Amino acid sequence: MPSPHTPPPVRLRLAARAESAVRSGHPWVFADSVRSASREGAVGDIAVIYDRRDKFLAAGLYDPGSPLRVRLVQWRSPAKIDGAFWRQRASECSGRRGAPGALPPETDGYRCINGESERFPGLVADRYGPVLVVKIYTLAWLPRWDEVEAALRETFAPQHLVLRFSRNIAPAARRDFGLAEGFAGPPGPPVVVFREAGLRFEAEVLHGQKTGFFLDQRENRLRAAGLAGGGEVLNAFSFSGGFSLHAAAAGARAVTDLDISRHALAAAERNFDLNRGLPDVAAARHETVQADAFAWLEEGGAGRRFDLVIVDPPSLARRARDRDAALAGYRRLARAAVRRVRPGGHLLLASCSAHVDRDAFFSLARAEVRGAECWTAGHAADHPAAFREADYLKAICFKVARAGA
Ligand code: SAH
């Protein structure tokens, strides 16, 4: 289907620093680095960046209403940006997931497209069994949504496709493009059961956080589960129990999910029920605690201790200026969590704040935890990060020598 949206591209020139960032493959062009534009572009127009000598540098999706003015999709040589272009890109994404070892066996919940890092800036697509959930973070996709949707359907062949928007674009998506969140095409179930390394989980594909599940921690759940056998596990900020269910399946004696959200804990209960057919899950004691994890780790639960403590809070820094407060929050969590670990037990600290970099987080953790560092890790392989800002997830694991100060 030809795109109805084919005005001539907006030609841009940039400040020198922005130009070299583009040259080195960075996917974002900010409004304040645009030196000149050939015309006033509309949302979703193609923007083309030329250098001083009129050489093509890159092309991307234009949004005159956003400080992130262009999100790049093509570098070095011009290309026709149409349905065939998106199909080619989507099939490259699909090929990476199909490579040997890219995903654990018995896994049909995974990220199919990871935004900028896979040249779909501001768009992620997660598969949960038969359902593909596409979450869009920029209006610039919407004028060409028909051709993108066709490319995704052709490549990933989902039975159902759910369209979701980030909160900031949802009103304009409806008003200016007539696109509402929900099933595009035939409706499916709002809750889908999928498998992660042989375990069954539900994803709330219409209204759950992100696209319904935190797929980025898959490998870290498996790593942590390897430390859980025979022990008691505390999963702080548990959401729907991802870490604890893997721990139970790996032979943990007891698992405690701690979250402030009753809704998340109810999902954790259902996820345990979905897996009671596995003897190790059936044998594990499962408990949920609804509480503020900062307060509970510091003074709740009558000072209980565990053999493995996992601390995976939500982002503590939504903006760059929250960085110091976030570091203080991580310090507080690390300090409290280490006191909950039995001597010789393990502590896993994770951070998904993009504004807190890897080095700062790991140094803070190393300063707070006395013990042997076991490993550090980032995202699962289906969440490739091709530039600094995309590299948000970090995890560090210790064998704790001596609990408390
Ligand atoms: N570890 C989870 C993902 C965590 S998402 C997984 O592997 O799936 C962050 C979770 O923290 C959410 O479930 C949210 O409800 C919870 N949360 C946010 N603030 C909290 C607080 N102060 N205390 C406890 N839980 C909190």
Side-chain angles (χ1 to χ4, degrees), residues 219-260:
E219 266 71 6
N220 294 333
R221 291 188 190 112
L222 295 173
R223 283 190 189 96
L227 304 168
E232 280 185 73
V233 179
L234 172 65
N235 182 14
F237 305 94
S238 64
F239 188 56
S240 60
F243 275 100
S244 37
L245 202 42
H246 279 286
R253 191 168 72 247
V255 285
T256 300
D257 279 326
L258 168 62
D259 201 284
I260 205 160

Side-chain angles (χ1 to χ4, degrees), residues 1 83-84 86-87 90 132 144-158 161:
M1 178 174 29
W86 304 122
R87 270 201 306 281
L132 189 72
R144 62 192 77 248
W145 169 240
D146 285 353
E147 69 185 24
V148 175
E149 181 186 358
L152 301 185
R153 285 190 188 276
E154 195 172 309
T155 308
F156 300 107
L161 189 148

Side-chain angles (χ1 to χ4, degrees), residues 196 201 209-210 213-218 221 235-244 258-262 264-265 289-296 310-316 333 350 352:
E196 178 175 271
F201 288 97
Q209 291 192 51
K210 300 248 193 148
F213 195 73
F214 290 87
L215 295 166
D216 52 359
Q217 289 282 26
R218 179 192 320 106
R221 291 188 190 112
N235 182 14
F237 305 94
S238 64
F239 188 56
S240 60
F243 275 100
S244 37
L258 168 62
D259 201 284
I260 205 160
S261 156
R262 189 187 301 274
L265 293 172
V289 176
Q290 189 191 1
D292 171 53
F294 287 86
W296 197 92
I310 296 145
V311 183
D312 178 30
S315 173
L316 300 183
L333 286 173
C352 64

